[in-house]
Amino acid sequence: MAAPETAPLDPMAPLVARVTRRHHDAPEVFTLELEPEDPGALAPFAPGQFNMLTVFGVGEVPISFSGDPVDQNRLVHTIRAVGPVSGALTELEPGAAVGLRGPFGVGWPMAEAEGKDVVVVAGGLGLAPLRPALYRLFAERERYGKIVLLYGTRSPDDILFRRELEAWRGRLDAEVEVTVDHAMAAWHGNVGVVTTLIPRCSFDPAQTVALVCGPEVMMRFAIAALMDAGVAADDIYLSMERNMKCAVGFCGHCQFGPVFVCRDGPVFPYARLRGLLALKEL
Amino acid sequence: MEGLERIVKEHVFFADLTDDFCKLVCGCAKNVRFEAGDYLFREGDPADQLYVIREGRVAMELSAPGHGSMTFQTVGEGEIVGISWLIPPYRWTYDAKALERIRAISIDATCIRRKCEDDHDLGYELMKRFVPVIIERLHATRLQMLDVYGTKS
């Protein structure tokens, strides 16, 4: 029996990619564009999935895709420098090598959302894992009903992807609202928590899919506001963040109750996590 | 008055208010307009009016020496500006600035408090509308205090 021409990829073995561009988005937040040395070796990514990125000699972290899924050869990741590995990643200059495993996980339910209104609620860096879904929604605009994007962050200086937000806000076929928790008086936009924007928006709750990503406490309150507005628990999807290590459900570091976030998520329907989110330190 | 009654009845904050209560509210109310940059009231002023926003957005600001003016909340169409008129000493504790042209219903606080004292059913009906606003703002303030978007120290 002849050996296959290419062996199946070992999910634990990183490929090498090069940084092609580094962009400063907000305080401590950078976007890296990566080009794999062997682009054909990677499976296409879907909105909501993530890669494991390695800084050689430092460590490996899970980072969601934040780029356009149409451009599969340009891998875009937006990273906040919060620890040694993410900090080292944000300091990489163009040309630097990184290790890359992926794409992993279950992404946003783009097919399930077709024909329905889509409400996207993002908080802080949570806009990054949602951006590929937004690219897809706007690229295939005719497939969806109303599109509502609600984005909350700490202050005007912390707003991510400002250029795209402004472009999306300028569209006549989408409702886009941005709010910050606090601002100097020169800011003329909204101030207040993102959940307060939900009752102000126009969508059909019985025919809505909601995509939510942000700090867990913000997601809990966003879920409550969406359900108060009449959106069913089955139609609310969250992107969860846990301590993902192997990314393929072997190690159990990211176990969250009965699920492994890396393998079964990171995107889950809220109905599957109901009850778990309220548990402290799970 | 008929025009004002229609405006009040159609405003989401007063949705389903009975005709009798609507007349009582309208007896204390008038239409007002502010241009962008105007202040509806300033910190320390007597809280003698309540504003129900029909159009435009209002920024609630606090100033601190060395920090300038900071906006801690904006409210818009369908929302109310000002709760301090409910509780003594009836004094504003922040500035309210029009971010754009504002059309609002202004309600005389002394007048509406007196009517609520005279008719507790009216008072209870209005409290049922104001208390959720207070609770919502308390929840929002808690979330803001958590600084959930900040990095963990």
Side-chain angles (χ1 to χ4, degrees):
Chain A
M1 182 178 160
E5 285 184 13
T6 53
L9 274 179
D10 177 353
M12 298 305 291
L15 302 171
V16 175
R18 297 278 170 187
V19 176
T20 55
R21 191 163 175 263
R22 173 176 176 265
H23 181 258
H24 185 209
D25 289 295
E28 300 177 323
V29 179
F30 291 80
T31 292
L32 294 185
E33 294 182 16
L34 308 175
E35 200 173 277
E37 289 194 339
D38 180 4
L42 289 173
F45 75 89
Q49 287 190 302
F50 66 96
N51 270 334
M52 297 298 296
L53 300 184
T54 298
V55 181
F56 296 113
V58 182
E60 187 182 48
V61 285
I63 306 287
S64 294
F65 289 93
S66 66
D68 190 340
V70 166
D71 190 356
Q72 290 282 339
N73 290 328
R74 195 174 61 105
L75 306 178
V76 181
H77 293 280
T78 301
I79 304 155
R80 171 176 277 158
V82 290
V85 186
S86 57
L89 272 170
T90 61
E91 289 169 6
L92 293 176
E93 296 290 345
V98 295
L100 184 155
R101 295 192 292 125
F104 294 118
V106 176
W108 298 109
M110 306 309 297
E112 290 88 334
E114 288 188 14
K116 298 185 174 178
D117 293 352
V118 183
V119 178
V120 176
V121 187
L125 195 60
L127 184 59
L130 281 162
R131 189 167 66 161
L134 288 158
Y135 284 132
R136 174 73 56 82
L137 290 170
F138 288 121
E140 300 176 351
R141 182 67 191 86
E142 70 286 354
R143 292 177 186 249
Y144 303 95
K146 289 182 179 173
I147 294 177
V148 177
L149 167 59
L150 308 176
Y151 175 50
T153 192
R154 195 181 198 192
S155 75
D157 290 340
D158 294 291
I159 293 173
L160 284 182
F161 314 140
R162 186 184 283 258
R163 199 165 42 101
E164 276 142 329
L165 285 169
E166 286 171 355
W168 291 331
R169 189 167 185 175
R171 293 180 64 119
L172 300 177
D173 59 359
E175 190 172 349
V176 177
E177 291 291 342
V178 175
T179 186
V180 299
D181 274 0
H182 53 79
M184 299 310 289
W187 166 255
H188 279 211
N190 294 313
V191 178
V193 293
V194 68
T195 51
T196 60
L197 298 177
I198 293 171
R200 300 181 198 173
C201 293
S202 156
F203 55 88
D204 176 1
Q207 287 297 318
T208 289
V209 166
L211 315 180
V212 185
C213 187
E216 213 161 292
V217 62
M218 165 249 150
M219 290 202 291
R220 291 208 313 263
F221 283 92
I223 292 162
L226 286 163
M227 292 182 72
D228 285 348
V231 182
D234 284 333
D235 294 326
I236 301 173
Y237 291 81
L238 319 174
S239 182
M240 296 297 297
E241 189 178 342
R242 280 296 181 276
N243 187 19
M244 293 188 273
K245 292 290 184 190
C246 73
V248 286
F250 289 164
C251 74
H253 278 87
C254 65
Q255 186 170 2
F256 185 56
V259 301
F260 289 143
V261 172
C262 70
R263 184 193 62 195
D264 305 320
V267 175
F268 294 92
Y270 171 61
R272 196 168 176 198
L273 301 181
R274 196 183 347 217
L276 297 174
L277 280 179
L279 298 178
K280 291 181 175 59
E281 305 302 333
L282 182 63
Chain B
M1 182 58 84
E2 194 179 326
L4 186 59
E5 279 189 25
R6 182 180 53 75
I7 289 167
V8 168
K9 278 191 85 75
E10 286 176 357
H11 196 281
V12 64
F13 184 76
F14 292 113
D16 302 324
L17 196 67
T18 65
D19 289 345
D20 288 347
F21 286 161
C22 186
K23 281 190 175 67
L24 289 170
V25 170
C26 287
C28 302
K30 62 182 179 188
N31 272 310
V32 291
R33 187 168 132 167
F34 298 91
E35 298 300 325
D38 288 351
Y39 279 83
L40 281 67
F41 52 79
R42 288 186 183 270
E43 181 182 351
D45 289 349
D48 53 6
Q49 299 288 327
L50 150 74
Y51 296 98
V52 184
I53 306 298
R54 297 173 58 203
E55 186 183 305
R57 286 181 312 126
V58 176
M60 301 179 186
E61 299 176 351
L62 271 175
S63 301
H67 294 277
S69 286
M70 180 165 281
T71 304
F72 61 90
Q73 188 181 15
T74 52
V75 296
E77 183 182 329
E79 297 180 290
I80 64 165
V81 178
I83 298 165
S84 303
W85 63 274
L86 270 170
I87 308 293
Y90 311 126
R91 198 165 294 284
W92 298 121
T93 54
Y94 53 88
D95 300 335
K97 185 174 79 178
L99 288 174
E100 49 213 39
R101 177 177 291 174
I102 298 294
R103 291 198 304 149
I105 304 160
S106 167
I107 299 175
D108 184 289
T110 308
C111 171
I112 199 72
R113 282 196 306 262
R114 193 186 66 242
K115 289 187 178 181
C116 289
E117 283 295 342
D118 292 346
D119 183 343
H120 288 183
D121 286 345
L122 171 67
Y124 181 63
E125 184 58 42
L126 292 183
M127 279 298 160
K128 284 196 292 185
R129 292 160 195 264
F130 286 113
V131 169
V133 175
I134 296 169
I135 298 293
E136 182 189 303
R137 291 186 186 171
L138 178 62
H139 284 163
T141 303
R142 284 184 187 136
L143 267 180
Q144 285 171 305
M145 282 176 62
L146 283 175
D147 193 20
V148 292
Y149 305 125
T151 51
K152 291 174 189 164
S153 56

